[in-house]
Amino acid sequence: MAETSEAQASASASAPGGDAGQEEEKHDERMLECNICLDTARDAVVSMCGHLFCWPCLHQWLETRPSRQVCPVCKAAISRDKVIPLYGRGNTKQEDPRNKVPPRPAGQRTEPENNSGFPGFGFGEGFHMSFGIGAFPFGIFTSTFNFGDPRPSAAPRGTAQYEEEQFLSKIFLWVAILFVLWLIFA
Amino acid sequence: MANIAAQRIRREIKEVMKNEETAGASIKLELIDNRWTELKGEIGGPPDTPYQGGTFILEIKVPETYPFNPPKIRFLTKIWHPNVSSVTGAICLDILKDQWAAALTLRTVLLSIQALLAAAEPNDPQDAVVAKQYREDPHMFEMTAIHWTNVYAGGPTPVFEFNQKVRVLTEIGVNEQVARVALSTYHWDIERATEEIFSIYP
Ligand SMILES: [Zn+2]
Ligand SMILES: [Zn+2]
């Protein structure tokens, strides 16, 4: 790298329009800036090599060079399936950003709406329990004892939603046990 | 997508202002006509090179699809360098072509061009004549590059012998730039250069 120690400190620039009020950007904030648009990352994803992007920005980069999919920062191999979406606190939707932007015509997986049945339970969004009412006793069983499965929609450990899911799962477990006891002793 | 390009250029200009003021690197970036599609870049010649003390102006054209595609950059200041056309100023640099990455900025690109001035890559030349001289007659190359830096980029070191030879040709009516290119190409041999000039421009 060329080091120009004796060169005069020279930088001139003229920016159009005035966002002069934002001059004082904190260093902390730059940590969360997208490496492509240089703005705060929205629908953030992080690559395996640790670089942060807006998903729309990264998606457009991958579309621009389909034959050469590399990280825009470090040029490590990168692909749609090898980025991790980031969900901050207050981001209630927790929708995978990768499902929103890509105009992939076929095979797009849409999440079911959660307002069917059991309105009284007040499930949080993103809480996907599938148990059939038709096969009530067994359905309860399967849905109850399946909690070990790594579901794609499972909330990340440590979040409020994760706690809520754990709590609800315990309730269902107890309901199921009581139901079995009732079947045996009734 | 023009939005991303315009917003990025605005941020990048700020970035250059902030960084270069503190780092003291000789890089400038200026918008032309307050449009984000065209900018003027400026780099200082790196120390301990024939370009030292010179100031080189670059034309920067930003495509609509920036930063997903690279900016188009060429030297406006004439320069004698294996990877830059001595005629058009076109630059042969991989990151301006297939090695472009969206996280690169105008600042990092200008720094790369500056680094290219310090470390030429004669095996991937833009100007075959210059590259040949660079390989086969390094001293002649260096003197020629110093001369061009002095004449076009405000470099501090005049090469009197070369100035003299250019003057000989301009006094018989040859265009100065034509004379300089011919002399530089033919190792400052006035007879060869004159022959060449009058075979091309009879
Ligand atoms: Zn972005
Ligand atoms: Zn990376």
Side-chain angles (χ1 to χ4, degrees):
Chain A
M1 191 49 79
E3 284 192 289
T4 51
S5 52
E6 63 139 29
Q8 337 120 314
S10 55
S12 77
S14 52
D19 39 3
Q22 299 177 345
E23 289 293 341
E24 295 296 314
E25 278 172 333
K26 290 203 181 71
H27 185 258
D28 297 1
E29 285 170 6
R30 300 194 60 182
M31 299 281 292
L32 300 173
E33 277 172 11
C34 164
N35 280 289
I36 293 179
C37 67
L38 312 184
D39 206 344
T40 306
R42 66 198 156 92
D43 294 331
V45 295
V46 67
S47 59
M48 299 297 272
C49 46
H51 292 115
L52 181 73
F53 308 96
C54 311
W55 171 246
C57 289
L58 183 62
H59 176 255
Q60 196 178 344
W61 169 249
L62 297 176
E63 292 279 294
T64 307
R65 293 170 182 234
S67 60
R68 190 175 158 267
Q69 304 220 319
V70 296
C71 171
V73 180
C74 68
K75 296 187 177 169
I78 196 171
S79 73
R80 182 189 191 279
D81 303 319
K82 287 195 173 147
V83 297
I84 302 156
L86 293 179
Y87 306 118
R89 189 170 172 275
N91 182 354
T92 50
K93 282 269 185 188
Q94 306 226 345
E95 186 182 354
D96 189 332
R98 290 172 297 180
N99 290 339
K100 289 203 293 193
V101 180
R104 305 213 308 180
Q108 188 166 353
R109 181 171 175 274
T110 48
E111 300 287 26
E113 292 296 319
N114 273 321
N115 47 14
S116 57
F118 303 105
F121 275 68
F123 291 154
E125 272 188 289
F127 180 75
H128 303 290
M129 289 229 35
S130 50
F131 53 89
I133 302 198
F136 180 54
F138 307 104
I140 275 240
F141 260 98
T142 51
S143 64
T144 302
F145 295 111
N146 266 346
F147 266 100
D149 285 359
R151 295 178 184 219
S153 59
R157 188 174 281 272
T159 63
Q161 193 191 342
Y162 179 80
E163 302 290 333
E164 189 179 315
E165 281 188 19
Q166 292 299 306
F167 176 63
L168 283 170
S169 77
K170 278 182 192 138
I171 289 183
F172 276 107
L173 186 63
W174 281 109
V175 168
I177 289 166
L178 289 173
F179 185 73
V180 171
L181 292 174
W182 176 76
L183 278 179
I184 292 166
F185 296 106
Chain B
M1 281 312 126
N3 280 342
I4 292 189
Q7 185 194 332
R8 250 197 68 151
I9 296 299
R10 241 175 272 135
R11 280 174 185 269
E12 289 189 30
I13 287 173
K14 264 196 229 167
E15 186 190 77
V16 167
M17 269 204 291
K18 244 187 281 175
N19 284 316
E20 308 320 322
E21 268 167 15
T22 48
S26 46
I27 285 181
K28 286 187 192 179
L29 201 52
E30 253 173 60
L31 269 180
I32 291 179
D33 293 341
N34 280 357
R35 280 157 51 234
W36 54 265
T37 48
E38 203 171 332
L39 293 93
K40 192 182 97 171
E42 201 180 295
I43 58 176
D48 305 319
T49 70
Y51 313 102
Q52 175 167 13
T55 301
F56 299 87
I57 310 290
L58 297 129
E59 176 191 80
I60 303 171
K61 290 192 168 161
V62 181
E64 287 277 325
T65 50
Y66 184 78
F68 302 102
N69 287 301
K72 291 179 171 58
I73 304 187
R74 70 181 183 102
F75 276 87
L76 290 179
T77 305
K78 297 209 171 297
I79 182 170
W80 192 253
H81 187 283
N83 304 108
V84 184
S85 164
S86 58
V87 180
T88 63
I91 305 167
C92 182
L93 183 61
D94 57 358
I95 56 165
L96 292 175
K97 290 161 189 163
D98 58 325
Q99 291 298 309
W100 170 253
L104 290 169
T105 62
L106 294 179
R107 175 175 177 270
T108 53
V109 170
L110 290 184
L111 287 171
S112 297
I113 295 173
Q114 201 175 39
L116 185 69
L117 295 190
E121 288 174 34
N123 296 325
D124 189 18
Q126 178 73 38
D127 195 309
V129 170
V130 185
K132 190 165 180 282
Q133 190 183 65
Y134 181 93
R135 281 194 307 263
E136 294 174 1
D137 193 346
H139 178 70
M140 181 68 78
F141 163 79
E142 193 175 330
M143 293 313 291
T144 307
I146 289 173
H147 170 70
W148 281 54
T149 303
N150 172 245
V151 172
Y152 296 114
T157 317
V159 182
F160 293 110
E161 185 201 336
F162 292 174
N163 288 337
Q164 189 63 36
K165 287 181 174 172
V166 171
R167 200 172 309 126
V168 168
L169 289 183
T170 52
E171 274 168 7
I172 59 169
V174 179
N175 170 286
E176 189 189 319
Q177 171 64 15
V178 170
R180 182 167 292 111
V181 170
L183 285 165
S184 301
T185 304
Y186 295 103
H187 309 283
W188 298 91
D189 178 337
I190 287 205
E191 278 172 32
R192 279 287 317 268
T194 315
E195 229 170 71
E196 194 60 27
I197 289 166
F198 287 106
S199 69
I200 299 173
Y201 311 92

